[in-house]
Amino acid sequence: MTEIHLTNTMTGRKEAFKASKRALWGLGKPLVGMYHCGPTVYNYAHIGNLRAYVFADTLKRLFKASGYSVKQVINITDVGHLTSDADTGEDKMEKAKAREHKSAWDIAKFYTDAFFGDLAALNVDVSGTKFPRATDFIKEQIALVKTLERKGFTYRTSDGIYFDTFRFSGYGKLGKVDVKGLREGERIGVNEEKKNATDFALWKFSLRAGTESAGKRDMEWKSPWGVGFPGWHIECSAMAASLLGTPVDIHTGGIDHIPVHHNNEIAQSEAATGHEFARVWMHSAFVNIDGGKMAKSEGNFITLQTLAERGYSPMAYRYFLLGARYSTPMNFTWDALAAAATAYGRLQTALHELPEGGRASNEYWNRAVAFVADDLDTPKALALCWDALKDDKLSPADKKATLAKIDSLLGIMRDETATEGTALPADVERLANERAAARTAKDWAKSDALRDEIAKLGYEVKDTPEGQKVSKR
Ligand code: AMP
Ligand code: ZN
């Protein structure tokens, strides 16, 4: 079995991965449980956000190819994430409600479906992956806060129940956060009732009669402390423990989660259980745009729909992402995407031209696995695909079989269109994405209606074991 090496943010080192458990099924395969912090569904995911899930997908594909039984959880944050990660500002869902004049529940449903559509469009393998919603785990979150309360880690302010980070001795250990500096530093804008600047909300009260928020919240629940809603961080601790058990083998997220969100997850989980929360922490670097930050709050974000409008397939973007290791910051430019789209198109065309019926080369396969097992070195694995294509020692049919096998790691060779690597028209692509989302949500009536709409534009949809295929009629 290939040894997998991953860079652990907790130690700052690249380490050999060791499974802690074996699956009860599947002939005692080693088991890996992975938890990935998922989207806050108050808006479309921008292409930077989507890097986090292509990264999670690459991990899953690697473990599957290396003989592991994989349990994967990507949570859907549909409540409690405030506009500032430090528990100030509005709930992002409530903010979207005001923007779109819909209920917070409808907003969450709409953008969750859009997220599933994005994953399908990017060929993310969702088989067996669980996508729990924070609002479905309120009971578990309340139980966790009660445990923390019983153990003396909480205190009450006028707006909620807070975690006292001073009482958790290892607070800030992930990424070696300068906790002292934070606590002694800037206090402007910080909730004055908090004992320490680093303390965070576990449960927030709905502000009621006589206050400016009276009656405005769509999402609120009864709790032992009063009607309210969970803080953002507690959902991940509760859902990871419920669905995977702790310690979780691998926990991931974008690099921005290290200082606050992940240190808070660690504090509440380890304070409650007394043992380690996650064995390996991994973080994907940002996709920047024109050298600056791409963020929903900046209003400069690009979605897969933006790419489709300019004629780029989501798969070209996947190819672009895999061209850098997950931990390397990337700069998105239209020129860089165009270069990736050209390479992606050439690869698709070359594949179409190769005959079926060959055998995959073990040598190439082993090299591809070794590259990806080296802390997900996808750029080297991509380059290897081109080497295989050019290798005269492989017959054309064997090349095709070899690339198909390597693709179980990369997921870039999906034959998504019959138009040989050229993108679908934007409106067809959008309807196809919506249909993929409807199918993920098992909404068959919507899926059939969308097929008819796509047909009206002159395209045919076929459902295959690899997903839907859209081609010109
Ligand atoms: P959100 O939906 O805002 O909770 O973010 C979803 C994921 O995207 C998180 O893992 C973030 O760390 C990550 N993320 C946010 N902005 C970027 C960016 N510009 N590039 C890459 N990842 C990002
Ligand atoms: Zn999380």
Side-chain angles (χ1 to χ4, degrees):
M1 186 180 264
T2 327
E3 188 154 89
I4 294 176
H5 290 88
L6 304 170
T7 296
N8 186 353
T9 311
M10 186 59 90
T11 59
R13 283 194 303 271
K14 190 152 82 174
E15 297 164 356
F17 179 81
K18 292 201 178 48
S20 63
K21 302 181 201 101
R22 301 191 88 76
L24 295 173
W25 64 92
L27 303 172
K29 280 183 181 180
L31 181 75
V32 58
M34 307 197 285
Y35 186 95
H36 314 279
C37 289
T40 306
V41 285
Y42 72 111
N43 206 334
Y44 292 106
H46 62 58
I47 58 173
N49 298 136
L50 294 170
R51 185 180 197 189
Y53 314 110
V54 171
F55 157 52
D57 186 43
T58 311
L59 267 178
K60 178 183 187 179
R61 286 169 181 270
L62 168 67
F63 277 101
K64 273 171 99 173
S66 306
Y68 283 76
S69 179
V70 180
K71 277 195 184 181
Q72 186 176 51
V73 175
I74 301 177
N75 69 296
I76 303 286
T77 298
D78 57 356
V79 68
H81 193 171
L82 305 189
T83 43
S84 147
D85 285 0
D87 297 321
T88 52
E90 271 176 279
D91 184 326
K92 292 185 177 185
M93 301 304 298
E94 296 288 321
K95 200 171 168 196
K97 180 174 113 177
R99 180 184 71 217
E100 299 189 14
H101 310 292
K102 285 189 203 164
S103 77
W105 294 102
D106 286 345
I107 300 232
K109 173 152 187 4
F110 180 83
Y111 290 113
T112 303
D113 286 351
F115 174 64
F116 288 147
D118 288 346
L119 296 189
L122 285 168
N123 201 24
V124 170
D125 173 6
V126 293
S127 57
T129 299
K130 290 198 171 117
F131 294 95
R133 286 178 301 211
T135 52
D136 285 336
F137 283 78
I138 298 297
K139 208 165 57 72
E140 289 78 358
Q141 295 176 72
I142 290 176
L144 188 51
V145 180
K146 274 165 84 176
T147 304
L148 291 170
E149 185 175 50
R150 189 165 40 78
K151 294 194 169 186
F153 286 99
T154 67
Y155 62 94
R156 188 182 182 112
T157 71
S158 61
D159 76 347
I161 304 296
Y162 280 76
F163 186 96
D164 186 346
T165 53
F166 193 71
R167 307 218 38 175
F168 180 71
S169 63
Y171 187 77
K173 62 186 171 183
L174 185 72
K176 300 194 177 47
V177 175
D178 174 15
V179 175
K180 201 160 167 273
L182 270 180
R183 286 182 182 153
E184 286 166 2
E186 185 86 55
R187 285 193 62 88
I188 298 161
V190 170
N191 178 347
E192 290 295 335
E193 288 182 73
K194 289 206 297 192
K195 291 188 184 170
N196 310 287
T198 46
D199 295 354
F200 56 92
L202 297 164
W203 186 264
K204 282 223 140 184
F205 305 134
S206 297
L207 299 176
R208 307 203 71 77
T211 75
E212 57 183 84
S213 292
K216 279 192 196 156
R217 282 196 69 87
D218 288 343
M219 295 173 161
E220 56 182 18
W221 295 264
K222 285 192 186 130
S223 82
W225 314 281
V227 174
F229 57 100
W232 169 39
H233 319 290
I234 196 80
E235 69 178 73
C236 291
S237 290
M239 295 194 287
S242 300
L243 298 171
L244 295 170
T246 55
V248 168
D249 291 312
I250 301 178
H251 194 314
T252 80
I255 202 153
D256 55 322
H257 284 341
I258 299 173
V260 179
H261 182 52
H262 284 167
N263 271 302
N264 291 356
E265 282 189 36
I266 291 169
Q268 31 182 42
S269 297
E270 298 191 355
T273 64
H275 65 246
E276 189 181 34
F277 175 44
R279 299 168 59 231
V280 180
W281 287 89
M282 294 178 76
H283 294 92
S284 48
F286 266 32
V287 178
N288 296 313
I289 178 156
D290 299 328
K293 187 179 172 196
M294 182 181 332
K296 288 175 195 173
S297 52
E298 304 283 317
N300 68 356
F301 67 91
I302 296 179
T303 62
L304 289 185
Q305 175 63 25
T306 324
L307 302 192
E309 280 157 13
R310 296 227 192 166
Y312 290 107
S313 138
M315 294 300 284
Y317 182 61
R318 184 179 175 104
Y319 190 99
F320 166 80
L321 285 178
L322 296 181
R325 209 189 226 140
Y326 72 95
S327 48
T328 308
M330 295 186 87
N331 193 29
F332 176 86
T333 62
W334 289 102
D335 285 349
L337 181 66
T342 306
Y344 168 71
R346 282 202 192 122
L347 195 60
Q348 300 304 310
T349 309
L351 270 171
H352 280 298
E353 285 166 0
L354 293 171
E356 303 280 349
R359 278 185 45 195
S361 148
N362 273 337
E363 189 207 319
Y364 273 100
W365 169 243
N366 291 338
R367 283 171 64 196
V369 177
F371 285 144
V372 184
D374 176 19
D375 204 24
L376 312 190
D377 198 341
T378 51
K380 282 204 181 133
L382 269 187
L384 189 71
C385 294
W386 291 98
D387 291 347
L389 266 179
K390 285 183 224 137
D391 188 341
D392 293 338
K393 291 196 284 308
L394 293 179
S395 74
D398 287 356
K399 283 183 187 174
K400 185 158 191 156
T402 302
L403 289 175
K405 189 156 181 190
I406 295 178
D407 196 47
S408 63
L409 292 166
L410 298 175
I412 42 158
M413 294 170 218
R414 182 177 61 176
D415 181 11
E416 54 174 1
T417 70
T419 45
E420 307 239 326
T422 54
L424 293 168
D427 46 355
V428 177
E429 177 108 19
R430 183 180 52 77
L431 292 171
N433 286 347
E434 265 182 53
R435 185 169 181 275
R439 293 181 69 75
T440 306
K442 298 197 169 38
D443 187 344
W444 310 123
K446 188 170 173 193
S447 154
D448 287 346
L450 285 163
R451 177 202 296 270
D452 294 342
E453 275 192 69
I454 293 169
K456 277 187 215 144
L457 297 172
Y459 284 77
E460 190 185 29
V461 188
K462 281 205 191 98
D463 291 308
T464 75
E466 295 84 49
Q468 65 177 4
K469 292 197 171 162
V470 185
S471 53
K472 207 162 171 56
R473 278 195 303 194

